Amino acid sequence: MHDEVRVTQAGGEKEQATNGDLPCGKLIANGGGDEVAVEGSSVVLKRKLSRFDGEVIRLIGQHLQNMGLQKTVSALMRETGCKLENPAASTFRENILNGDWDKVEFVLKELQPVLDDSNSYNQMKCLILEQKYLELLEDGRVIEALHCLRVEITPLQSNQAKLHELSSLLMCSSSDELHTKAKWEGKGNSTRQKLFTKLQDFLPASVLLPPKRLESLLGQAIELQKSNCIYHNTSMDAKLTEFSLLSDHHCESKYFPCETRQVLSIHCDEVMFIRFSHDGRRLASGSKDETVIIWNIEADEKLVKFRTLERHTHGVSYLSWSPDDKHLIVCGTDDCAELWIWHVETGELKCRMSHSPEDSLTCCAWYPDGKKFVTGGMRGQFYQCDLDGNVIESWEGVRVIGVSVLDDNETVLAADTHMRVRTYNFEDNRDSGLIHESHSIMSFNVSQNNRYMILNVALQGINLWDIKDKALVRKFRGVTQGYYMIHSCFGGVNEDFIASGSEDNDVYIWHQRLEGRPIATLKGHSRTVNCVHWNPKIPSMLASASDDGTIRIWGPSQRLEDRDVL
């Protein structure tokens, strides 16, 4: 492989040095150790390319070819002495797209030495023959199709079920029936291109570059830069073309939710809990003033009051939206033995659950199917209930601080007063230990993918646990927390961030992959921040609730849409 640098003969000393009766193509020394070739009116400097340079040229050539710049590609390959792909591979593709199956098989034999093993060769041949067989059937050439099946496919195909499936296609009476039964689009460029894409997986990159390889590499680089960007919090990056490749990706803090965009101050006492609906269109807030306010999020991302739900004895400590966002469960404080289920749209009370005057139902969680829920409290109540508030099953003696139901619709996680989180299955009456902390657990939250949970631990901070591996992943410090109930949350794009309130009146945000101090501290509340929650559909919107009676909506100081490039 050589890199050919062409120098056009044009006057001056260079012209004098190169003009003469040198025959075209003759190599002469240029005094610097390289060889110079005279080709027509140009001088070509030839030097050996490194493997890296050769691969970069091939990647560039493939990208230019995809852009339709074939003449440019030809010039690049000619000047560098590189080959974009193995000539046999090019012929292989051309024959497949043309449906020249005899030629395809011939070229496949030429490519056999570069394959990993004989099994790869047989698999490729099976795929080719299946396409050939289907096209023969579509053309009505049944005898030839039968011959292909018996003589060519059967000796290679050991899967009897597949052979039976292919044989049954002989009975199809029309092309439409064949397409439907075979789940095949029919003879043409589309199915042949899909066939070649499957076959390409068997060919090494040295023979044939994977499709759009340069774009793939650049995409990986962008993903790495995004993971190293502590403020990256946008879903506007689905396309590689939305990023600038001229400099490393870096998000500025002004695009991160660090500024108060709105203060909601309708509650007349401490706001204990807030929760966005799953669709991100509403926010529910519960207060010590015994009310729950439902807020609508308008098109301009401003929140306006939708309705008030009243008469929650002793105040509100916890809220949970049903999976379809139609119902809202409201839990009271430690002194309350009741639980309310509201129909959000109509404001009607669906049921008021009061199983025992000794109960203290301070937390709850819906099952993913929305047909039942679990609830419990610190006095030892732990129930599985239906939507009418009837207790289906109960677990005696579990002093529950927080609960969550995993996506399997069976496993319940519950944090208790013994500094543990355990798993429970009400159907099978099984429980087992999950993790154990060294200090009291004040609250916990589970990520949407059910892989991680964060625990607010008294006098410690926030600990991130891997549920699957039962392992402590990271510790996040900086928050001030004694023995008050403070609810933290995951949030942002891909739930990359963790946010929490604090007894020092601030809101703290950490990047999930960066252990230690917070990346942002949000100031504005004048008393303890009891709860924070990130909008699941608007990554730039964060809400916080405080003892000062207000809810603050946090957003970026500048909108992401105002940026030229990401």
Side-chain angles (χ1 to χ4, degrees):
M1 188 180 296
H2 293 81
D3 180 16
E4 304 175 354
V5 181
R6 296 181 178 272
V7 182
T8 303
Q9 302 176 19
E13 295 181 359
K14 284 186 179 180
E15 183 177 6
Q16 294 176 7
T18 58
N19 280 350
D21 298 326
L22 292 174
C24 180
K26 183 176 180 180
L27 296 177
I28 62 172
N30 70 346
D34 294 321
E35 292 181 327
V36 174
V38 179
E39 297 185 2
S41 61
S42 298
V43 174
V44 180
L45 178 65
K46 295 192 175 184
R47 66 173 179 269
K48 189 175 182 179
L49 286 175
S50 67
R51 176 181 174 181
F52 174 80
D53 288 337
E55 290 180 350
V56 169
I57 289 169
R58 290 182 65 200
L59 292 173
I60 294 172
Q62 184 194 50
H63 183 70
L64 294 174
Q65 187 178 65
N66 291 340
M67 294 174 63
L69 304 175
Q70 190 57 54
K71 291 183 179 180
T72 305
V73 175
S74 298
L76 177 64
M77 295 301 117
R78 184 174 62 254
E79 187 171 356
T80 59
C82 291
K83 292 181 179 179
L84 185 58
E85 58 190 23
N86 187 299
S90 300
T91 305
F92 188 56
R93 179 200 292 111
E94 182 181 350
N95 291 337
I96 286 175
L97 296 181
N98 291 334
D100 295 332
W101 304 116
D102 293 337
K103 293 181 180 179
V104 168
E105 187 173 353
F106 178 79
V107 180
L108 180 59
K109 289 180 180 178
E110 288 187 12
L111 293 171
Q112 187 173 5
V114 303
L115 302 178
D116 292 335
D117 50 47
S118 59
N119 187 48
S120 295
Y121 175 80
N122 290 337
Q123 290 183 62
M124 293 178 73
K125 194 170 182 180
C126 279
L127 290 171
I128 292 167
L129 291 174
E130 285 177 21
Q131 177 78 13
K132 175 184 176 181
Y133 171 71
L134 292 172
E135 291 194 7
L136 288 171
L137 285 178
E138 186 179 62
D139 290 341
R141 298 156 67 181
V142 180
I143 301 300
E144 294 175 63
L146 183 59
H147 180 272
C148 176
L149 179 63
R150 289 178 175 176
V151 178
E152 298 180 273
I153 297 177
T154 301
L156 295 172
Q157 181 62 265
S158 59
N159 188 333
Q160 294 301 312
K162 182 65 175 178
L163 286 173
H164 180 74
E165 177 186 330
L166 293 174
S167 299
S168 67
L169 300 177
L170 290 164
M171 306 303 294
C172 293
S173 58
S174 67
S175 295
D176 289 341
E177 184 182 356
L178 174 66
H179 298 164
T180 302
K181 198 169 182 180
K183 297 178 181 178
W184 181 62
E185 296 177 14
K187 176 181 177 180
N189 186 72
S190 176
T191 54
R192 290 172 180 174
Q193 185 62 58
K194 288 179 181 178
L195 169 63
F196 183 75
T197 300
K198 292 179 182 178
L199 296 172
Q200 190 166 355
D201 291 338
F202 295 95
L203 296 172
S206 59
V207 174
L208 190 67
L209 288 174
K212 299 183 178 179
R213 180 59 181 162
L214 181 60
E215 290 91 330
S216 176
L217 290 173
L218 293 174
Q220 293 173 30
I222 291 294
E223 286 301 317
L224 178 61
Q225 292 178 28
K226 283 161 50 181
S227 67
N228 293 330
C229 176
I230 62 174
Y231 294 118
H232 186 80
N233 185 40
T234 172
S235 56
M236 295 169 56
D237 50 18
K239 296 180 180 179
L240 183 63
T241 53
E242 293 176 350
F243 285 87
S244 172
L245 302 177
L246 304 181
S247 60
D248 288 346
H249 172 70
H250 173 70
C251 291
E252 299 178 62
S253 59
K254 63 183 178 182
Y255 302 113
F256 197 72
C258 292
E259 182 178 279
T260 299
R261 302 294 291 270
Q262 192 175 1
V263 179
L264 310 176
S265 53
I266 295 180
H267 284 292
C268 56
D269 208 332
E270 300 169 4
V271 184
M272 307 302 296
F273 198 85
I274 51 175
R275 190 62 88 227
F276 284 105
S277 58
H278 298 95
D279 62 12
R281 296 170 55 192
R282 284 176 171 155
L283 175 73
S285 59
S287 171
K288 198 173 179 179
D289 64 9
E290 302 184 0
T291 68
V292 170
I293 297 178
I294 307 297
W295 309 83
N296 280 343
I297 301 174
E298 302 295 310
D300 59 356
E301 297 186 5
K302 292 293 184 180
L303 277 71
V304 296
K305 179 182 172 183
F306 173 60
R307 69 168 70 258
T308 300
L309 310 176
E310 300 178 323
R311 300 187 302 278
H312 301 98
T313 312
H314 304 294
V316 177
S317 68
Y318 199 86
L319 303 166
S320 183
W321 291 87
S322 63
D324 59 6
D325 292 328
K326 291 181 178 180
H327 296 95
L328 184 73
I329 297 179
V330 180
C331 295
T333 61
D334 290 341
D335 299 325
C336 181
E338 297 176 316
L339 174 150
W340 297 261
I341 303 179
W342 294 89
H343 190 286
V344 177
E345 201 63 41
T346 64
E348 296 177 357
L349 182 62
K350 179 176 177 59
C351 79
R352 182 174 179 175
M353 175 182 169
S354 181
H355 184 65
S356 167
E358 303 300 319
D359 284 351
S360 176
L361 306 179
T362 55
C363 61
C364 63
W366 291 85
Y367 279 79
D369 63 6
K371 296 179 179 179
K372 52 186 182 292
F373 64 92
V374 290
T375 182
M378 295 179 64
R379 295 180 183 174
Q381 297 80 32
F382 192 19
Y383 303 134
Q384 182 191 68
C385 308
D386 62 22
L387 297 189
D388 294 321
N390 302 310
V391 174
I392 303 171
E393 299 286 349
S394 65
W395 215 288
E396 299 296 330
V398 181
R399 298 181 180 273
V400 177
I401 293 170
V403 291
S404 180
V405 184
L406 301 186
D407 287 342
D408 62 5
N409 210 53
E410 294 179 355
T411 306
V412 178
L413 304 185
D416 59 36
T417 56
H418 296 288
M419 302 178 290
R420 307 172 303 180
V421 176
R422 297 178 63 82
T423 65
Y424 298 85
N425 188 309
F426 281 86
E427 279 69 31
D428 297 340
N429 196 32
R430 289 183 291 108
D431 69 315
S432 62
L434 185 62
I435 66 103
H436 198 288
E437 282 284 1
S438 59
H439 291 72
S440 297
I441 299 172
M442 309 310 296
S443 67
F444 87 116
N445 202 326
V446 176
S447 63
Q448 290 183 9
N449 63 8
N450 286 186
R451 181 63 189 265
Y452 300 101
M453 64 180 172
I454 45 177
L455 306 180
N456 283 62
V457 183
L459 305 176
Q460 296 293 300
I462 296 174
N463 290 344
L464 174 68
W465 286 83
D466 187 311
I467 296 174
K468 180 180 178 181
D469 296 337
K470 302 181 181 180
L472 178 62
V473 179
R474 282 180 195 89
K475 298 179 180 180
F476 301 98
R477 300 297 180 251
V479 63
T480 302
Q481 179 169 313
Y483 292 95
Y484 288 104
M485 184 77 75
I486 292 177
H487 298 274
S488 56
C489 70
F490 292 93
V493 171
N494 301 321
E495 294 194 313
D496 283 339
F497 304 98
I498 292 169
S500 179
S502 176
E503 292 177 14
D504 63 5
N505 312 337
D506 294 337
V507 175
Y508 293 90
I509 302 175
W510 299 264
H511 196 290
Q512 192 181 140
R513 291 187 293 274
L514 301 176
E515 186 168 10
R517 310 303 297 180
I519 64 170
T521 301
L522 314 186
K523 297 182 177 294
H525 287 292
S526 59
R527 294 181 64 187
T528 296
V529 180
N530 300 307
C531 184
V532 295
H533 197 232
W534 221 298
N535 191 306
K537 300 300 181 181
I538 307 175
S540 60
M541 180 181 288
L542 175 70
S544 59
S546 171
D547 280 351
D548 63 14
T550 68
I551 300 163
R552 284 181 176 262
I553 307 300
W554 305 87
S557 58
Q558 185 172 335
R559 294 176 63 87
L560 291 164
E561 293 82 353
D562 297 336
R563 293 194 288 188
D564 294 330
V565 292
L566 293 174

